[in-house]
Amino acid sequence: MDDLLYLVHRIPWPPNKGDKIRSHHILRYLTQHYRVHLGTFVDDPDDLVHTAEVEGLCASTCIRPLDSRRARLRALGGLATGAPLTLPWYRDRGLQRWVDDTIERHSISRALIFSSAMSQYLERHPGVVQVTDFVDVDSDKWTQYAATRPWPLSAIYRREGRRLLAYERRQAARSSASLFVSPDEAEAFRERAPESAERIHAMNNGVDHAHFAPDRVPAHNPYPPYSRVMVFSGAMDYWPNVDVVVWFAREVFPEIRVQEPHALFYIVGSRPAPAVTELGRLPGVMVTGFVEDMRAWIGHADLAVAPLRIARGVQNKVLEAMALARPVVASPQALEGLSAQREQEVIEAPAEPAAFARAVLRGLAEGPSERGERARKRVETDYDWARNLARLDGYLQGPVASTAAPSMETT
């Protein structure tokens, strides 16, 4: 097997949130075809228990702690430079030394970078062929944040959007292939980085549909009898998730309860932010925190809701509900990039209180339907990990990109 360097901004284990699900399955695939040398960070102390599993898969590893307070100070110090703040957030001398030593010791000629911030560790190694999995257009996410935050955060986020886009373009120019989570996301980046358009590709996410299968849902129903349950699942310290459950619980759910007095809204996911915990005081709203098996909570719900107002890429929460054949009511932002047929496989509704409430009530009234079965078939067809990841080898064995790159001042 050839040696391959894999740089990931967050340890790809366990697969319990969006980016980690993707990086986890990529790692498992790569270890079947390469001797993988993994450089990564641990930003959640709970993930430290998984380092032995990761080390057992890889030829070598460098797993560095990432303290958010120190990272924030490094990032704010970067305001004096022209670089995006994302870079100093993930800058680590120990990881840089390991990368340099690993490339020299194992004569590594190819690397897969997961998240553009990790590309900084290869800036002194221009001879290494790089494939970058950007996943989403992160720069646009910061621009979206800027539109919803007060000054001075709006100014900082707007700056980050501009600076990060310039860096993303430079990295795409250095990469033999730039990968994104959906055709829509790839096309959005082609528009922003036309000089690299021919090397920008979509590589769909996947779902472990053997695990997320209706017949694998635990028998125990965690919900009260005779209730009508809608569920939102995800990491509940992630700001777009916080934003949307606060909006749904306060603006949409009361309208639903008028028509469905037994309706319950369950917010299921780890590390709920204070604003999310506070929602548990509202009638019919339940906040669970971490759960052992998400399948029970999605699989026994009447429907899943995903009324995201800020989103990029593909939402795993939607794919998992589809795999479990649950009715899904989602905003256009949450469905962006998904090949699911609207109405036939999922219900799309605008993130506007009255309209979204009507769509949820319609989904509750319909109950189990063929829509859920069609949604599962869509997952099996378009979101199979093995089929989608099979494209990686072709990208990793592709030609070296040009070293020419646009200026950091690109807007």
Side-chain angles (χ1 to χ4, degrees), residues 1-5 29-30 33-35 109-112 129-131 176-177 179 390-401:
M1 288 185 176
D2 293 336
D3 289 276
L4 177 77
L5 181 65
Y29 177 84
L30 291 175
H33 302 274
Y34 299 89
R35 296 182 70 249
S109 60
R110 298 183 184 275
L112 177 60
V129 177
Q130 302 177 38
V131 171
S176 62
L179 309 180
R391 305 176 64 183
L392 263 181
D393 283 332
Y395 298 133
L396 288 167
Q397 300 301 322
V400 181

Tab-separated table of all heavy atoms in Angstrom, residues 1-5 29-30 33-35 109-112 129-131 176-177 179 390-401:
chain	number	residue	atom	x	y	z
A	1	MET	N	0.834	-1.204	0.000
A	1	MET	CA	0.000	0.000	0.000
A	1	MET	C	0.873	1.260	0.000
A	1	MET	O	1.932	1.292	0.620
A	1	MET	CB	-0.898	0.031	1.247
A	1	MET	CG	-2.043	-0.963	1.251
A	1	MET	SD	-3.089	-0.713	2.697
A	1	MET	CE	-4.387	-1.913	2.389
A	2	ASP	N	0.399	2.301	-0.677
A	2	ASP	CA	1.092	3.575	-0.662
A	2	ASP	C	0.792	4.316	0.635
A	2	ASP	O	-0.248	4.107	1.274
A	2	ASP	CB	0.635	4.433	-1.842
A	2	ASP	CG	1.061	3.864	-3.179
A	2	ASP	OD1	2.051	3.111	-3.202
A	2	ASP	OD2	0.400	4.168	-4.190
A	3	ASP	N	1.709	5.208	1.008
A	3	ASP	CA	1.494	6.062	2.172
A	3	ASP	C	0.680	7.281	1.761
A	3	ASP	O	0.868	7.843	0.674
A	3	ASP	CB	2.833	6.494	2.766
A	3	ASP	CG	3.558	5.353	3.441
A	3	ASP	OD1	3.256	5.085	4.608
A	3	ASP	OD2	4.416	4.717	2.777
A	4	LEU	N	-0.206	7.713	2.647
A	4	LEU	CA	-1.054	8.879	2.389
A	4	LEU	C	-1.175	9.700	3.658
A	4	LEU	O	-1.424	9.156	4.739
A	4	LEU	CB	-2.450	8.434	1.923
A	4	LEU	CG	-3.462	9.568	1.681
A	4	LEU	CD1	-3.165	10.265	0.366
A	4	LEU	CD2	-4.890	9.022	1.681
A	5	LEU	N	-1.016	11.000	3.529
A	5	LEU	CA	-1.223	11.922	4.648
A	5	LEU	C	-2.670	12.392	4.634
A	5	LEU	O	-3.181	12.842	3.596
A	5	LEU	CB	-0.275	13.111	4.517
A	5	LEU	CG	-0.331	14.165	5.626
A	5	LEU	CD1	0.129	13.581	6.965
A	5	LEU	CD2	0.530	15.374	5.242
A	29	TYR	N	-12.557	4.265	4.648
A	29	TYR	CA	-12.313	3.895	3.254
A	29	TYR	C	-10.818	3.961	2.933
A	29	TYR	O	-10.264	3.027	2.323
A	29	TYR	CB	-13.087	4.828	2.323
A	29	TYR	CG	-12.830	4.542	0.864
A	29	TYR	CD1	-13.538	3.538	0.199
A	29	TYR	CD2	-11.868	5.247	0.154
A	29	TYR	CE1	-13.298	3.259	-1.134
A	29	TYR	CE2	-11.620	4.977	-1.174
A	29	TYR	CZ	-12.339	3.982	-1.820
A	29	TYR	OH	-12.079	3.701	-3.138
A	30	LEU	N	-10.161	5.030	3.342
A	30	LEU	CA	-8.743	5.203	3.015
A	30	LEU	C	-7.885	4.091	3.602
A	30	LEU	O	-6.924	3.640	2.973
A	30	LEU	CB	-8.251	6.554	3.526
A	30	LEU	CG	-8.805	7.797	2.825
A	30	LEU	CD1	-8.310	9.057	3.528
A	30	LEU	CD2	-8.419	7.829	1.347
A	33	HIS	N	-7.130	1.118	1.541
A	33	HIS	CA	-6.387	1.280	0.283
A	33	HIS	C	-5.010	1.915	0.462
A	33	HIS	O	-4.201	1.877	-0.475
A	33	HIS	CB	-7.209	2.134	-0.689
A	33	HIS	CG	-8.566	1.575	-0.991
A	33	HIS	ND1	-8.789	0.638	-1.981
A	33	HIS	CD2	-9.766	1.800	-0.403
A	33	HIS	CE1	-10.076	0.327	-2.001
A	33	HIS	NE2	-10.692	1.012	-1.060
A	34	TYR	N	-4.747	2.512	1.632
A	34	TYR	CA	-3.491	3.223	1.864
A	34	TYR	C	-3.004	2.971	3.288
A	34	TYR	O	-3.782	2.579	4.164
A	34	TYR	CB	-3.673	4.746	1.684
A	34	TYR	CG	-4.121	5.172	0.313
A	34	TYR	CD1	-5.482	5.265	0.004
A	34	TYR	CD2	-3.191	5.490	-0.680
A	34	TYR	CE1	-5.903	5.666	-1.253
A	34	TYR	CE2	-3.608	5.899	-1.943
A	34	TYR	CZ	-4.954	5.975	-2.223
A	34	TYR	OH	-5.371	6.370	-3.469
A	35	ARG	N	-1.716	3.236	3.477
A	35	ARG	CA	-1.176	3.357	4.833
A	35	ARG	C	-1.378	4.812	5.231
A	35	ARG	O	-0.686	5.699	4.745
A	35	ARG	CB	0.305	2.973	4.868
A	35	ARG	CG	0.568	1.513	4.525
A	35	ARG	CD	2.048	1.161	4.624
A	35	ARG	NE	2.514	1.168	6.009
A	35	ARG	CZ	3.363	2.066	6.516
A	35	ARG	NH1	3.820	3.061	5.779
A	35	ARG	NH2	3.742	1.986	7.783
A	109	SER	N	3.968	11.496	-0.970
A	109	SER	CA	3.806	12.322	-2.169
A	109	SER	C	2.364	12.778	-2.368
A	109	SER	O	2.102	13.607	-3.243
A	109	SER	CB	4.262	11.547	-3.409
A	109	SER	OG	3.492	10.349	-3.576
A	110	ARG	N	1.414	12.243	-1.568
A	110	ARG	CA	0.006	12.600	-1.750
A	110	ARG	C	-0.662	12.821	-0.390
A	110	ARG	O	-0.348	12.136	0.582
A	110	ARG	CB	-0.750	11.517	-2.526
A	110	ARG	CG	-0.189	11.329	-3.937
A	110	ARG	CD	-0.949	10.314	-4.765
A	110	ARG	NE	-0.271	10.139	-6.041
A	110	ARG	CZ	-0.450	10.915	-7.111
A	110	ARG	NH1	-1.321	11.901	-7.048
A	110	ARG	NH2	0.217	10.694	-8.231
A	111	ALA	N	-1.581	13.787	-0.378
A	111	ALA	CA	-2.278	14.120	0.868
A	111	ALA	C	-3.730	14.446	0.580
A	111	ALA	O	-4.060	15.035	-0.464
A	111	ALA	CB	-1.610	15.307	1.555
A	112	LEU	N	-4.581	14.061	1.513
A	112	LEU	CA	-5.984	14.461	1.490
A	112	LEU	C	-6.209	15.415	2.652
A	112	LEU	O	-5.912	15.083	3.804
A	112	LEU	CB	-6.903	13.243	1.620
A	112	LEU	CG	-8.409	13.542	1.682
A	112	LEU	CD1	-8.890	14.251	0.427
A	112	LEU	CD2	-9.212	12.258	1.900
A	129	VAL	N	1.190	16.171	-3.772
A	129	VAL	CA	-0.087	16.311	-4.469
A	129	VAL	C	-1.198	16.427	-3.430
A	129	VAL	O	-1.303	15.576	-2.535
A	129	VAL	CB	-0.340	15.103	-5.391
A	129	VAL	CG1	-1.713	15.221	-6.050
A	129	VAL	CG2	0.748	15.011	-6.454
A	130	GLN	N	-2.023	17.445	-3.561
A	130	GLN	CA	-3.064	17.704	-2.573
A	130	GLN	C	-4.446	17.553	-3.187
A	130	GLN	O	-4.728	18.098	-4.254
A	130	GLN	CB	-2.937	19.122	-2.019
A	130	GLN	CG	-1.591	19.419	-1.382
A	130	GLN	CD	-1.492	20.866	-0.918
A	130	GLN	OE1	-2.470	21.435	-0.426
A	130	GLN	NE2	-0.324	21.459	-1.082
A	131	VAL	N	-5.310	16.814	-2.502
A	131	VAL	CA	-6.746	16.810	-2.766
A	131	VAL	C	-7.401	17.431	-1.537
A	131	VAL	O	-7.114	17.029	-0.407
A	131	VAL	CB	-7.283	15.389	-3.006
A	131	VAL	CG1	-8.808	15.390	-3.067
A	131	VAL	CG2	-6.699	14.813	-4.286
A	176	SER	N	-5.067	19.238	-6.804
A	176	SER	CA	-5.378	18.505	-8.028
A	176	SER	C	-6.871	18.253	-8.144
A	176	SER	O	-7.390	18.046	-9.237
A	176	SER	CB	-4.614	17.183	-8.060
A	176	SER	OG	-4.991	16.357	-6.973
A	177	ALA	N	-7.585	18.273	-7.012
A	177	ALA	CA	-9.044	18.177	-7.010
A	177	ALA	C	-9.567	18.864	-5.758
A	177	ALA	O	-8.962	18.767	-4.685
A	177	ALA	CB	-9.504	16.720	-7.049
A	179	LEU	N	-13.105	18.993	-3.553
A	179	LEU	CA	-14.333	18.227	-3.404
A	179	LEU	C	-15.340	18.976	-2.535
A	179	LEU	O	-14.966	19.641	-1.555
A	179	LEU	CB	-14.026	16.863	-2.773
A	179	LEU	CG	-12.910	16.058	-3.446
A	179	LEU	CD1	-12.722	14.728	-2.723
A	179	LEU	CD2	-13.195	15.837	-4.919
A	390	ALA	N	-15.893	5.645	-3.654
A	390	ALA	CA	-15.079	4.962	-4.658
A	390	ALA	C	-14.417	5.943	-5.612
A	390	ALA	O	-13.413	5.618	-6.261
A	390	ALA	CB	-15.935	3.966	-5.430
A	391	ARG	N	-14.922	7.169	-5.663
A	391	ARG	CA	-14.346	8.173	-6.555
A	391	ARG	C	-13.054	8.766	-6.007
A	391	ARG	O	-12.295	9.410	-6.744
A	391	ARG	CB	-15.360	9.294	-6.778
A	391	ARG	CG	-16.701	8.809	-7.293
A	391	ARG	CD	-17.716	9.930	-7.403
A	391	ARG	NE	-17.306	10.925	-8.400
A	391	ARG	CZ	-17.992	12.037	-8.645
A	391	ARG	NH1	-19.081	12.298	-7.953
A	391	ARG	NH2	-17.582	12.879	-9.555
A	392	LEU	N	-12.780	8.558	-4.737
A	392	LEU	CA	-11.611	9.187	-4.121
A	392	LEU	C	-10.300	8.773	-4.772
A	392	LEU	O	-9.399	9.599	-4.956
A	392	LEU	CB	-11.560	8.852	-2.627
A	392	LEU	CG	-12.124	9.882	-1.654
A	392	LEU	CD1	-11.973	9.378	-0.225
A	392	LEU	CD2	-11.443	11.225	-1.816
A	393	ASP	N	-10.164	7.492	-5.103
A	393	ASP	CA	-8.902	7.018	-5.673
A	393	ASP	C	-8.539	7.774	-6.939
A	393	ASP	O	-7.379	8.143	-7.154
A	393	ASP	CB	-8.976	5.516	-5.970
A	393	ASP	CG	-8.839	4.671	-4.723
A	393	ASP	OD1	-8.185	5.136	-3.769
A	393	ASP	OD2	-9.391	3.563	-4.694
A	394	GLY	N	-9.516	7.998	-7.793
A	394	GLY	CA	-9.244	8.726	-9.027
A	394	GLY	C	-8.745	10.128	-8.768
A	394	GLY	O	-7.828	10.600	-9.448
A	395	TYR	N	-9.310	10.789	-7.770
A	395	TYR	CA	-8.851	12.135	-7.441
A	395	TYR	C	-7.450	12.118	-6.833
A	395	TYR	O	-6.604	12.953	-7.151
A	395	TYR	CB	-9.825	12.802	-6.465
A	395	TYR	CG	-11.221	12.991	-7.017
A	395	TYR	CD1	-12.334	12.644	-6.261
A	395	TYR	CD2	-11.419	13.510	-8.291
A	395	TYR	CE1	-13.622	12.803	-6.755
A	395	TYR	CE2	-12.702	13.678	-8.796
A	395	TYR	CZ	-13.798	13.325	-8.027
A	395	TYR	OH	-15.064	13.488	-8.523
A	396	LEU	N	-7.193	11.148	-5.954
A	396	LEU	CA	-5.891	11.090	-5.287
A	396	LEU	C	-4.766	10.713	-6.248
A	396	LEU	O	-3.613	11.073	-6.035
A	396	LEU	CB	-5.941	10.089	-4.134
A	396	LEU	CG	-6.741	10.554	-2.920
A	396	LEU	CD1	-7.007	9.395	-1.979
A	396	LEU	CD2	-6.012	11.675	-2.190
A	397	GLN	N	-5.076	10.007	-7.305
A	397	GLN	CA	-4.066	9.620	-8.282
A	397	GLN	C	-3.999	10.590	-9.455
A	397	GLN	O	-3.258	10.355	-10.407
A	397	GLN	CB	-4.366	8.204	-8.813
A	397	GLN	CG	-4.380	7.129	-7.741
A	397	GLN	CD	-3.069	7.030	-6.985
A	397	GLN	OE1	-2.000	7.176	-7.572
A	397	GLN	NE2	-3.138	6.778	-5.679
A	398	GLY	N	-4.735	11.686	-9.372
A	398	GLY	CA	-4.785	12.637	-10.471
A	398	GLY	C	-3.533	13.481	-10.576
A	398	GLY	O	-2.621	13.408	-9.742
A	399	PRO	N	-3.450	14.318	-11.594
A	399	PRO	CA	-2.268	15.139	-11.822
A	399	PRO	C	-2.148	16.268	-10.813
A	399	PRO	O	-3.120	16.658	-10.171
A	399	PRO	CB	-2.496	15.695	-13.230
A	399	PRO	CG	-3.989	15.732	-13.366
A	399	PRO	CD	-4.488	14.523	-12.614
A	400	VAL	N	-0.935	16.798	-10.696
A	400	VAL	CA	-0.678	17.920	-9.797
A	400	VAL	C	-1.276	19.187	-10.387
A	400	VAL	O	-1.217	19.425	-11.594
A	400	VAL	CB	0.836	18.104	-9.592
A	400	VAL	CG1	1.106	19.253	-8.635
A	400	VAL	CG2	1.457	16.821	-9.068
A	401	ALA	N	-1.879	20.019	-9.528
A	401	ALA	CA	-2.454	21.280	-9.985
A	401	ALA	C	-1.365	22.307	-10.211
A	401	ALA	O	-0.230	22.165	-9.766
A	401	ALA	CB	-3.457	21.797	-8.947
